[in-house]
Amino acid sequence: MPWDRNQMAARAAQELEDGMYVNLGIGIPTLVSNYIPEGITVTLQSENGMLGMGPFPYEGEEDPDLINAGKQTITELPHTAYFDSATSFGMIRGGKIAMAILGAMEVAENGDLANWMIPGKLVKGMGGAMDLVAGVGRVIVVMDHTNKHGDSKVLKACTLPLTGTGVVNQIITNLGVLDVVEGGLKIVELADGVTEDDMRAATEATIL
Amino acid sequence: MRKVYGSASEALDGLLSDDMLIAAGGFGLCGIPELLIAAIRDSGVQNLTVASNNAGVDDFGLGVLLQSRQVKKMLSSYVGENAEFMRQYLSGELELEFNPQGTLAERMRAGGAGIPGFYTQTGVGTQIAEGKEHKEFDGKTYILERGIFADLAIVKAWKADETGNAIFRKSARNFNPPAAMCGKVCVMEVEEIVPAGSLDPDLIHLPGIYVHRLIQGEHEKRIEQRTVRQRESA
């Protein structure tokens, strides 16, 4: 059985290390915070100006002045700090954030990432994604391996406008885990019941 | 020298003109200058260029200036929550310059700090880099981005003293300080104006030098995505 959204998030959480400052993107990456391994402390950054992001509030305790980058109401923790957007991206661009876990529309075998627009169809914008992939230490993409038509999202070259070039270090999909290495992708792990042949068949990119 | 005004329209009196560039604070609907936006709508000023991370939603925040067709161009990083924005953009009625979020924030900060341009790695190799100067530093490629010098900044803070020394609350700070800094004139709306001396000078987030006019008012503070968790049963 390929992994579901929660299993993908749980697998991504295994990449976290104690003491890390981490930025989680919108969608499946947000779920990673539910699976932080015991004994490990990570501090979540929200690029709208917060370190130390807490869980969603209890009903009735929502605060319009306290949201995450996905505009969801959240809470603060004892070690939370707030700052403005210029400072926030200063720490991102300045390499202070150890890891970003992001969603994607397409990833290429050379680490190129596309996740911000579909020309003529979807105009949302890159938000902070371009800054994150340019600045953080390690970029992990978590996404479904194929789109709803069954086409591979793990490609030889991206077809959509890029978010960054050569920026992705690891890809976690419903089929398993791939590392971006010299010359292509390397299988690190397969989801339960997924064979190497299944992985290769669903992947357009070069698997070494 | 009086900075405190009685209403948003009074505070904007004499500052608005067609074709001007306005920098606005806020992220999503959090920390937006909602009273000043409403007063700009009522003023009828036209052909605005607005630098703001988002464009509000259809009927709140900067979305109201899109509804009223007063905006010619937006400089933004993310406009996904606004259907009217998407419609006007795809039909060619509205110009849009996408800026990576950190680049937009730094462009405002730089403008306010007297820096006309800076180099950043953000966007290298993407559409954003097209037509921009590329330069190598220590083996890495960077692109030149320009500081933003806005004709007017509109921002929202939590509390300010009557000289404009301001404190923001939680994540409502966001783009407000850099937006305030990059305006030739900055008008700020707050939830409470307090007498000078009642805020701790060590805890001021934005010094009053950046704030030229100030109003106090009631804020709706709409929540865009209300998300909650269940209480564990006792």
Side-chain angles (χ1 to χ4, degrees):
Chain A
M1 278 287 285
W3 288 328
D4 63 22
R5 290 163 57 89
N6 285 300
Q7 287 170 309
M8 287 156 68
R11 179 57 187 81
Q14 298 300 314
E15 300 297 319
L16 299 170
E17 292 168 26
D18 195 35
M20 269 187 173
Y21 289 90
V22 179
N23 184 293
L24 302 179
I26 296 167
I28 303 174
T30 303
L31 301 173
V32 173
S33 63
N34 298 334
Y35 298 98
I36 297 169
E38 211 155 311
I40 282 186
T41 305
V42 299
T43 301
L44 300 179
Q45 198 240 20
S46 191
E47 66 266 27
N48 54 320
M50 179 183 197
L51 277 167
M53 185 168 41
F56 295 140
Y58 293 120
E59 195 165 356
E61 293 177 6
E62 309 92 317
D63 184 340
D65 289 336
L66 184 43
I67 63 168
N68 64 17
K71 283 100 181 178
Q72 297 170 308
T73 45
I74 48 162
T75 56
E76 64 188 18
L77 299 170
H79 64 286
T80 293
Y82 298 109
F83 33 83
D84 68 63
S85 298
T87 305
S88 181
F89 283 92
M91 63 184 73
I92 288 169
R93 229 184 283 105
K96 314 299 180 188
I97 306 290
M99 182 186 284
I101 303 177
L102 304 173
M105 297 171 180
E106 295 176 346
V107 184
E109 63 190 43
N110 64 352
D112 286 1
L113 169 68
N115 72 352
W116 72 281
M117 71 132 45
I118 302 172
K121 274 191 193 163
L122 180 78
V123 186
K124 290 193 172 207
M126 71 291 285
M130 284 192 183
D131 308 275
L132 281 161
V133 299
V136 304
R138 186 158 181 250
V139 175
I140 297 178
V141 161
V142 182
M143 64 174 191
D144 283 323
H145 208 93
T146 54
N147 65 22
K148 57 177 185 252
H149 308 294
D151 306 320
S152 183
K153 293 169 67 175
V154 185
L155 305 173
K156 290 190 190 307
C158 292
T159 63
L160 294 170
L162 295 178
T163 307
T165 57
V167 293
V168 177
N169 300 103
Q170 186 172 69
I171 308 164
I172 298 175
T173 75
N174 49 322
L175 300 186
V177 182
L178 298 160
D179 270 352
V180 178
V181 297
E182 191 69 39
L185 305 176
K186 198 177 108 206
I187 298 174
V188 175
E189 190 177 331
L190 295 166
D192 295 335
V194 173
T195 66
E196 189 175 329
D197 285 347
D198 296 335
M199 174 67 96
R200 286 180 180 275
T203 307
E204 192 219 82
T206 310
I207 294 181
L208 302 175
Chain B
M1 177 218 53
R2 183 182 68 105
K3 289 189 180 179
V4 179
Y5 286 70
S7 70
S9 55
E10 242 178 75
L12 290 168
D13 187 41
L15 299 181
L16 298 175
S17 57
D18 293 350
D19 303 299
M20 73 189 308
L21 169 60
I22 298 178
F27 181 94
L29 301 180
C30 181
I32 58 171
E34 53 182 89
L35 305 174
L36 293 163
I37 290 168
I40 289 172
R41 178 199 56 206
D42 295 344
S43 79
V45 66
Q46 293 293 324
N47 281 326
L48 300 172
T49 297
V50 181
S52 169
N53 187 57
N54 311 95
V57 294
D58 285 343
D59 65 338
F60 195 60
L62 288 170
V64 304
L65 299 184
L66 296 171
Q67 294 278 8
S68 59
R69 304 303 197 79
Q70 287 166 273
V71 180
K72 176 183 68 178
K73 181 177 179 180
M74 290 291 306
L75 279 63
S76 301
S77 89
Y78 191 84
V79 297
E81 276 88 11
N82 193 315
E84 174 65 10
F85 188 112
M86 188 105 68
R87 192 199 64 71
Q88 288 187 21
Y89 172 68
L90 290 174
S91 69
E93 296 162 49
L94 177 70
E95 289 174 59
L96 169 60
E97 179 189 307
F98 269 129
N99 282 232
Q101 195 172 134
T103 295
L104 183 63
E106 189 63 15
R107 289 184 67 192
M108 290 182 183
R109 195 201 69 80
I115 296 171
F118 59 92
Y119 291 96
T120 177
Q121 260 193 292
T122 301
V124 170
T126 75
Q127 280 185 7
I128 297 306
E130 287 170 14
K132 289 175 182 162
E133 185 198 325
H134 287 57
K135 188 165 174 151
E136 246 186 55
F137 294 90
D138 305 320
K140 285 184 180 163
T141 305
Y142 297 76
I143 54 173
L144 177 66
E145 295 281 3
R146 300 291 305 269
I148 291 174
F149 300 87
D151 299 308
L152 172 68
I154 53 170
V155 299
K156 191 252 169 189
W158 179 43
K159 282 184 185 181
D161 70 21
E162 58 219 14
T163 74
N165 289 320
I167 294 177
F168 301 87
R169 188 170 172 276
K170 302 184 189 289
S171 65
R173 194 181 319 183
N174 56 57
F175 273 80
N176 282 296
M181 289 170 67
C182 80
K184 288 184 194 116
V185 181
C186 171
V187 183
M188 174 182 278
E189 60 184 65
V190 299
E191 294 175 44
E192 189 184 1
I193 298 174
V194 297
S198 42
L199 299 177
D200 183 342
D202 269 333
L203 299 179
I204 300 297
H205 297 140
L206 183 73
I209 192 169
Y210 295 111
V211 180
H212 302 92
R213 299 184 182 186
L214 191 60
I215 56 158
Q216 174 180 310
E218 290 291 318
H219 290 81
E220 178 184 338
K221 300 215 283 184
R222 195 183 292 185
I223 291 177
E224 202 164 336
Q225 307 267 355
R226 190 177 297 275
T227 42
V228 296
R229 70 186 140 136
Q230 296 305 312
R231 281 175 202 279
E232 295 89 18
S233 44

